[in-house]
Amino acid sequence: MKPFLSVPAGELIFRPLFALTLNSRWSPQTQRTLLEMSTLLLPRVPHSVIRSVTLGDRSAERVSVGATEHGRAVLYLHGGAYIVGSPTTHRALTTTLARAAGAEVYALDYRLAPEHPMPAAVDDSVAAYLALLERGYSPESVAIAGDSAGGGLSVATARVLIDEHGVTPAALGLISPWVNPAGVSEDLGTDIVVNLEWSRQGAAAYLGDGDPTDPRYAPAVGPLEGLPPTLVQIGQRELLLEQVTEFVASLREAGVDVTASDLGPLWHVAHTAAPLVTEAAAAVDDLGRFLGDRLRYSQAVLAEPAGRNAG
């Protein structure tokens, strides 16, 4: 089935869904349950195969579509303000991305706050990337991508990999990256997904007793030099627009090869609706092409169990 909904039609469906699930009046645990249930509304991408794997000490999903060739991979870090989300909630995105990039997508189930505040998610993501290298991938064959909190986490992960392990990912694909959780102060009410109170709930839970100037928490305030080629996508009505615009400017000042993509009227991380919404599918296709063009092939050593067909 091809995507068939327009952006306005998609908003009519998803606005009440997000208002219910991503609501600071609920506990993070309740939000997680509601969000997991809501993903049942999305159709599966045909010929997608999802295998359960372990990266580091965390579970993950290895996603492939059709005749995807081994040897090129994307480590995908889901969004959800660091308090909700999972590989399950983002399957519509990761399967579409695997098809668009012509690569395997590894969706990591990193630890969430408030049970596990910063730097737990960063530690998990770094360990997952290094585990892919241990499987036989080369850094040139593994990119990192993520949305919202997962976008900020992608930058923080890349920074630690570069500075502490001497490893530079092939590329970064950032969907509306939340690169400074404490830096959101104004809500114009035009974002149908994220609101100020919910973002503050997630920011406080993820920070815990940490330092808000720690680059693992807010990578926008840390050094950006040496990051790999980066694509940043964001829509014009998003709560994070100002923050992301400033971040793109900082990347350019730091000499990073960055491409900024204006998603116009699309809502925050509409990519999760790619199987239904035409413009969302196009955004994932652009992300996939960007990553796929920068991934080299390597002879990966794979030893996963026989997966289950999710298509």
Side-chain angles (χ1 to χ4, degrees):
M1 180 179 67
K2 293 184 178 180
F4 61 92
L5 290 178
S6 65
V7 172
E11 284 193 7
L12 287 176
I13 296 171
F14 289 102
R15 182 189 293 272
L17 186 64
F18 290 126
L20 171 65
T21 57
L22 306 183
N23 192 316
S24 61
R25 289 178 293 181
W26 302 118
S27 69
Q29 294 77 13
T30 298
Q31 292 179 43
R32 292 169 197 167
T33 300
L34 292 171
L35 190 60
E36 294 278 342
M37 293 172 58
S38 71
T39 61
L40 298 175
L41 298 173
L42 293 170
R44 297 294 184 216
V45 172
H47 311 299
S48 58
V49 177
I50 299 173
R51 292 180 171 88
S52 296
V53 300
T54 300
L55 295 178
D57 293 327
R58 300 299 300 171
S59 62
E61 292 183 348
R62 182 164 72 92
V63 180
S64 60
V65 177
T68 302
E69 295 186 49
H70 298 322
R72 307 196 316 163
V74 177
L75 176 63
Y76 194 85
L77 306 175
H78 67 78
Y82 294 106
I83 57 175
V84 302
S86 71
T88 301
T89 63
H90 282 62
R91 276 183 188 163
L93 195 165
T94 56
T95 50
T96 308
L97 178 60
R99 182 177 61 191
E104 296 163 316
V105 173
Y106 287 83
L108 181 66
D109 191 16
Y110 61 83
R111 287 173 290 174
L112 298 176
E115 297 92 337
H116 305 284
M118 186 275 299
V122 180
D123 292 344
D124 292 345
S125 302
V126 170
Y129 192 95
L130 295 176
L132 289 174
L133 301 188
E134 292 173 358
R135 287 171 177 261
Y137 291 98
S138 66
E140 295 81 10
S141 66
V142 185
I144 305 177
D147 62 279
S148 197
L153 180 56
S154 297
V155 181
T157 300
R159 187 78 269 164
V160 172
L161 287 169
I162 294 168
D163 294 344
E164 298 184 14
H165 300 277
V167 173
T168 302
L172 293 177
L174 311 178
I175 303 170
S176 307
W178 199 25
V179 289
N180 186 359
V184 181
S185 59
E186 185 177 12
D187 190 347
L188 300 178
T190 57
D191 194 321
I192 74 165
V193 180
V194 182
N195 60 73
L196 191 56
E197 289 305 313
W198 184 69
S199 69
R200 286 174 173 170
Q201 180 187 31
Y206 184 53
L207 180 61
D209 296 327
D211 180 356
T213 65
D214 189 327
R216 295 172 298 177
Y217 177 75
V221 306
L224 302 176
E225 291 80 7
L227 289 174
T230 300
L231 173 66
V232 181
Q233 297 178 315
I234 191 161
Q236 287 298 309
R237 297 184 295 161
E238 297 191 42
L239 182 69
L240 297 179
L241 178 60
E242 181 178 359
Q243 179 178 127
V244 171
T245 301
E246 293 175 355
F247 179 63
V248 169
S250 296
L251 287 172
R252 287 180 174 145
E253 291 176 4
V256 177
D257 179 5
V258 58
T259 302
S261 178
D262 181 356
L263 300 184
L266 273 179
W267 62 88
H268 183 69
V269 195
H271 305 59
T272 56
L276 294 177
V277 179
T278 303
E279 288 86 348
V284 179
D285 285 345
D286 288 344
L287 175 62
R289 280 193 296 270
F290 177 88
L291 297 175
D293 287 346
R294 287 155 182 81
L295 290 175
R296 298 180 182 176
Y297 282 96
S298 66
Q299 187 62 41
V301 178
L302 303 171
E304 289 86 2
R308 57 184 179 80
N309 195 318

